[in-house]
């Protein structure tokens, strides 16, 4: 009945967009990854080592993007829910001059965009254009795609064609007007998201309870047996994975208990590599075998010696800088080994010795600074500590610290007040919603957590009874039933 429409439709599309329609083809998964290389280079978490908050946001967004791209390649998929992503984009040669968002003093900018595409090619273009990255390299992928600036790639046809609704019903093609209407009215709200995901979270949480009890038991037993201060995990591994790691440590304790006793009083952290952290915590690399762990425990006495030298070096730097305290803040700094951190401190100390800065003794007592390997200028963090590059100019450093000292003291006072308010709001929210646990990701600041909890307390949320709630930057149900919600969640019911 409608067969005669097909040649007409093809003719119309050729007139509307000849280059795009005739000279493009679908991307394969490998080609999509290759096409997104400039994007991955600009947002890869490894380049945000000195900015843990931005690093974690990018890690989470890359995981969600990976799932989106995988679903696009699944045979028979019809449509995907709009996915909102946030990335911190580094300043690179190709986006340093034409970026639409201003760069921060740290050399990156925040970009937010929503994906609602139906093929890899349009997804790749959408991502690159949203981040103000060039699309010219797509020609080299043999896709015959004509690179287009953002405004050209998204420009509507000069003569839009309006087909009768019966055409889309009969042929199965998606109505673009309906797609646009759906995107415009879809906005995830806290109530709507909880309504759609409560059952899934409850089921996962219930299934995880036996493993959670087993995890607590193993942790208590090993902490007592090895006389550890604490056992922690750097990454958000699932409960089953954590239990497996503790079982592995338990087997090693049975085989070589004497070697493990050298960690008495320490905090043990399961992470990506073995060694001692800048904080003095024992790091067990989850990919290492028992032999490597045993060697680490045997070397702990030498690590303790290096840690004492490190603390002495911090005191010497503090003396040269008027009593300002050198601190290492886990949540805000990359995970460094004690060797790496000592080397960083040593470089900074030697520069100070060569260029003596005339600070009055103890004039900066009560203030704090963290040392990093960035080549950017020194800055004052909102929490009150100074971010000092190891290679910064000593004269500029003196002027910066002296002019910002009063503001730093005010910020530190505000930080302490925020900590108290944050703790009280977490307790109040936990009680009101009968939560089993309420916590936040390290990338969520105290200011954001306070704002989130204040708005939560104004809501009636029976969904949360007995749940584990994590305040994050995105919505997600974790594999063990923890609910993740963004700190800046939206209110109201979803539009039907």
């Amino acid at each position: 009945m409608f067969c005669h429409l097909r040649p007409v439709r093809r003719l119309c599309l050729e007139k509307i967009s000849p280059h795009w329609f005739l000279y493009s083809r679908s991307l394969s998964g490998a080609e999509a990854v290759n096409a997104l290389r400039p994007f991955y280079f600009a947002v890869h978490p490894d380049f945000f080592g000195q900015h843990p908050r931005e690093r974690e946001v990018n890690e989470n967004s890359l995981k969600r993007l990976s799932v989106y791209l995988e679903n696009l390649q699944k045979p028979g998929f019809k449509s995907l829910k709009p996915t909102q992503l946030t990335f911190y984009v580094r300043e690179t040669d190709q986006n340093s001059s034409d970026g639409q968002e201003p760069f921060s003093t740290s050399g990156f900018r925040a970009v937010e965009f929503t994906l609602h595409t139906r093929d890899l090619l349009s997804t790749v273009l959408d991502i690159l254009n949203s981040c103000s990255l060039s699309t010219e390299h797509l020609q080299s992928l043999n896709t015959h795609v004509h690179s287009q600036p953002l405004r050209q790639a998204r420009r509507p046809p000069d003569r839009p064609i309006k087909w009768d609704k019966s055409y889309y019903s009969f042929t199965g093609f998606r109505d673009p007007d309906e797609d646009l209407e759906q995107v415009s009215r879809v906005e995830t709200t806290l109530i709507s998201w909880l309504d759609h995901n409560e059952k899934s979270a409850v089921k996962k949480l219930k299934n995880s309870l036996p493993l959670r009890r087993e995890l607590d038991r193993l942790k208590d037993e090993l902490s007592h047996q090895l006389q550890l201060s604490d056992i922690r995990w750097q990454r958000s591994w699932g409960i089953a994975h954590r239990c497996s790691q503790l079982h592995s440590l338990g087997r090693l304790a049975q085989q070589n208990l004497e070697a493990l006793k050298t960690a008495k009083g320490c905090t043990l952290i399961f992470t990506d590599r073995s060694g001692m952290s800048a904080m003095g915590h024992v790091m067990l690399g989850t990919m290492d075998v028992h032999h490597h762990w045993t060697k680490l425990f045997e070397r702990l006495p030498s690590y303790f010696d290096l840690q004492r030298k490190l603390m002495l070096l911090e005191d010497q730097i503090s003396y040269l800088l008027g009593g300002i305290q050198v601190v290492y803040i886990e949540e805000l700094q990359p995970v460094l080994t004690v060797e790496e951190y000592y080397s960083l401190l040593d470089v900074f100390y030697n520069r100070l010795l060569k260029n003596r800065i005339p600070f009055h003794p103890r004039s900066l007592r009560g203030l704090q600074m963290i040392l990093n390997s960035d080549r950017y200028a020194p800055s004052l963090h909102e929490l009150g500590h100074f971010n000092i590059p190891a290679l910064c100019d000593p004269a500029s450093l003196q002027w910066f610290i002296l002019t910002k000292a009063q503001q730093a003291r005010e910020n530190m006072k505000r930080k302490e007040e925020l900590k108290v308010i944050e703790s009280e709001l977490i307790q109040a929210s936990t009680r009101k919603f009968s939560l089993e646990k309420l916590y936040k990701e390290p990338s969520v600041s105290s200011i954001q957590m306070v704002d989130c909890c204040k708005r939560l307390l104004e809501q009636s949320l029976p969904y949360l009874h007995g749940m584990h709630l994590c305040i994050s930057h995105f919505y997600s149900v974790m594999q063990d039933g923890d609910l993740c919600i963004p700190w800046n969640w939206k209110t109201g019911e979803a539009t039907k």
Side-chain angles (χ1 to χ4, degrees), residues 437-450:
K437 184 179 181 181
L438 174 59
Y439 62 104
K440 67 175 184 177
E441 291 186 345
S443 57
V444 177
S445 68
S446 293
I447 294 176
Q448 293 170 336
M449 189 65 173
V450 166

Side-chain angles (χ1 to χ4, degrees), residues 379-418:
S379 62
L380 176 62
H381 195 275
E382 62 181 8
L383 298 181
H385 61 266
F386 289 95
N387 289 307
I388 307 300
L391 299 178
C392 68
D393 175 59
S396 300
L397 175 62
Q398 178 192 23
W399 174 254
F400 182 81
I401 290 179
L402 290 177
T403 55
K404 298 290 185 180
Q406 183 57 36
Q407 183 63 50
R409 296 186 189 281
E410 294 174 3
N411 287 5
M412 291 187 69
K413 181 179 179 181
R414 176 58 178 160
K415 178 186 70 172
E416 296 304 318
E417 294 172 350
L418 272 174

Side-chain angles (χ1 to χ4, degrees), residues 444-472:
V444 177
S445 68
S446 293
I447 294 176
Q448 293 170 336
M449 189 65 173
V450 166
D451 175 71
C452 177
C453 289
K454 282 182 177 180
R455 294 188 298 116
L456 278 177
L457 288 169
E458 297 173 354
Q459 304 294 313
S460 175
L461 302 170
Y463 315 87
L464 300 181
H465 182 81
M467 300 301 295
H468 292 243
L469 182 63
C470 174
I471 308 304
S472 177

Side-chain angles (χ1 to χ4, degrees), residues 5 8-10 12 161-168 175:
L5 290 176
V8 176
R9 178 174 181 267
R10 182 171 64 251
C12 292
I161 301 299
K162 292 286 289 184
W163 295 102
D164 189 88
K165 297 295 182 182
S166 61
Y167 168 77
Y168 298 105
D175 185 345

Side-chain angles (χ1 to χ4, degrees), residues 466-483:
M467 300 301 295
H468 292 243
L469 182 63
C470 174
I471 308 304
S472 177
H473 294 275
F474 57 90
Y475 287 103
S476 176
V477 177
M478 306 296 283
Q479 59 182 335
D480 296 304
D482 291 44
L483 289 167

Side-chain angles (χ1 to χ4, degrees), residues 30-74:
E31 288 173 332
V33 172
N34 195 25
L36 286 173
R37 280 184 179 179
F39 165 73
Y40 290 132
F41 181 76
V43 304
H44 198 284
D46 287 350
F47 293 109
F48 290 80
Q50 301 294 333
H51 307 281
R53 180 181 303 174
E54 290 76 12
R55 176 190 177 100
E56 186 164 351
V57 171
N58 282 11
E59 283 182 344
N60 292 329
S61 294
L62 282 173
K63 290 177 184 177
R64 299 178 66 212
L65 175 59
S66 177
V67 172
Y68 189 93
L69 294 175
E70 288 178 5
N71 288 334
L72 277 180
Q73 299 174 64
K74 290 180 179 178

